[in-house]
Amino acid sequence: MPAKTRSRAEKSDGKPLRYQSEFCARLLAFFDVPPFTVTEVAKRDGSVTLVETAAELPTFAAFAKLLGTTCDVLESWEQKHPAFREAARKARDLQGNILIQNSLRGNYSSSFAVFTAKNLLGWKDGKEDAASGAPLVVRWESDK
C-alpha cells in the first residue's frame, strides 16, 4: 500500500494550516529588513574599508516555508482575508524597495534585477504591447 501523502496545505501533524490574524504582522516583519548592511573590514596595512552586503531578498515562498505551508495557501488567504491582502501588498512594496536599492547600488546583477522585477513585481519594460497592437506613445510636456 502506498504511503499516505500530505496535502500541500497541511502541517506536519496532517491538519491544514489555518489563517491567523497574527500572520499579517509576521509577514510584514519578515519582509521589513534593511536592503543591505555595511561592515568595516580592516586591511593588512591598518586601513579600514567598507564592504556592502545585500540582504537576502525576502520572498513569499520563503515565508510560506517558514509557516510550513505553500504559496497557494498564502494566495488563498489574500483572497479571503482583507487584512492579509493589505499586508501582502505592503510586503511586495518592501520587497520591491530591497530589489531597487540593491540594483541601483550594484549589489544585484542587472539581468537578475530585471528578471525579478518583471516576475515578482509585475514590472514591464516600455516596449510596445504586441497583444494590443497599439504603439507606445510618449509625450513631453513643458510647464512653459
Side-chain angles (χ1 to χ4, degrees), residues 54-59 95 98-100 102-103 106-121 123:
E56 184 174 322
L57 185 65
T59 63
Q95 184 184 49
I98 293 168
L99 178 64
I100 291 166
N102 281 302
S103 298
N107 293 334
Y108 294 156
S109 75
S110 59
S111 59
F112 165 79
V114 169
F115 177 81
T116 303
K118 287 180 178 181
N119 287 283
L120 288 183
L121 306 176
W123 290 10

Side-chain angles (χ1 to χ4, degrees), residues 41-59:
V41 176
K43 293 183 175 181
R44 287 185 175 175
D45 65 4
S47 66
V48 174
T49 188
L50 299 177
V51 176
E52 193 170 280
T53 306
E56 184 174 322
L57 185 65
T59 63

